[in-house]
Amino acid sequence: MRLTQGTFSFLPDLTDEQILKQVEYALDKGWAVGIEYTDDPHPRNTFWEMHGNPMFDLQDPAGVLMEIKDCRKAFPHHYIRVTAFDSTHGTESVVLSFIVNRPQDEPGFRLVRSEGPGRQVHYRIEGYAAQARPEGARYG
């Protein structure tokens, strides 16, 4: 199952050249770029781990690509995404995010249904990877 989160997630993986163009677009807009990674891409897990600090003052897309490559070396079996923050409205908000690295095997998620009193039905999503292995060892 292919994880579909963020911009471009329904397209084939971006090449480094395409990533560079998207980073250039974000920097031209004045957005700060950050790199994040996780081994638990649950849809409600919006807070991934930061790889370094957000690059508020960086203007060279090649520098961002260098950081992406460093993150790929450090976490080759994790999901890695690039995020762009727009702070012009007084509060930082993510305006662009896209995945730049995926584990070779993406096991997916399952929908769990449970019934409660009074005919209540509750649903939750569980990741197969989170059930199979502990944090930090889910892929690879």
Side-chain angles (χ1 to χ4, degrees):
M1 179 192 144
R2 183 176 172 85
L3 182 72
T4 54
Q5 291 183 15
T7 312
F8 315 120
S9 63
F10 289 94
L11 299 174
D13 291 339
L14 299 178
T15 65
D16 283 354
E17 183 179 327
Q18 292 168 325
I19 292 168
L20 204 60
K21 292 285 185 188
Q22 294 306 317
V23 169
E24 184 176 3
Y25 173 81
L27 294 176
D28 287 347
K29 293 280 189 183
W31 300 337
V33 176
I35 301 169
E36 302 176 340
Y37 64 94
T38 189
D39 68 347
D40 181 17
H42 188 283
R44 292 189 178 176
N45 177 14
T46 58
F47 299 105
W48 292 18
E49 300 291 329
M50 290 291 300
H51 179 77
N53 293 319
M55 295 168 255
F56 291 104
D57 297 329
L58 190 64
Q59 297 301 317
D60 183 11
V64 176
L65 188 59
M66 184 181 74
E67 290 296 321
I68 292 170
K69 289 179 179 180
D70 287 347
C71 190
R72 285 176 177 160
K73 285 180 190 173
F75 304 101
H77 305 295
H78 284 61
Y79 290 91
I80 300 172
R81 73 179 173 195
V82 172
T83 58
F85 298 89
D86 182 359
S87 61
T88 57
H89 300 292
T91 57
E92 292 180 349
S93 57
V94 175
V95 291
L96 175 68
S97 74
F98 54 95
I99 294 175
V100 295
N101 194 72
R102 299 170 178 275
Q104 188 171 353
D105 178 38
E106 297 183 80
F109 298 90
R110 71 179 184 150
L111 184 65
V112 179
R113 174 186 165 152
S114 60
E115 297 183 17
R119 299 176 64 189
Q120 291 180 355
V121 178
H122 301 277
Y123 295 94
R124 70 180 186 277
I125 298 172
E126 293 180 349
Y128 290 121
Q131 294 174 334
R133 297 186 183 129
E135 185 177 347
R138 293 182 177 143
Y139 299 98

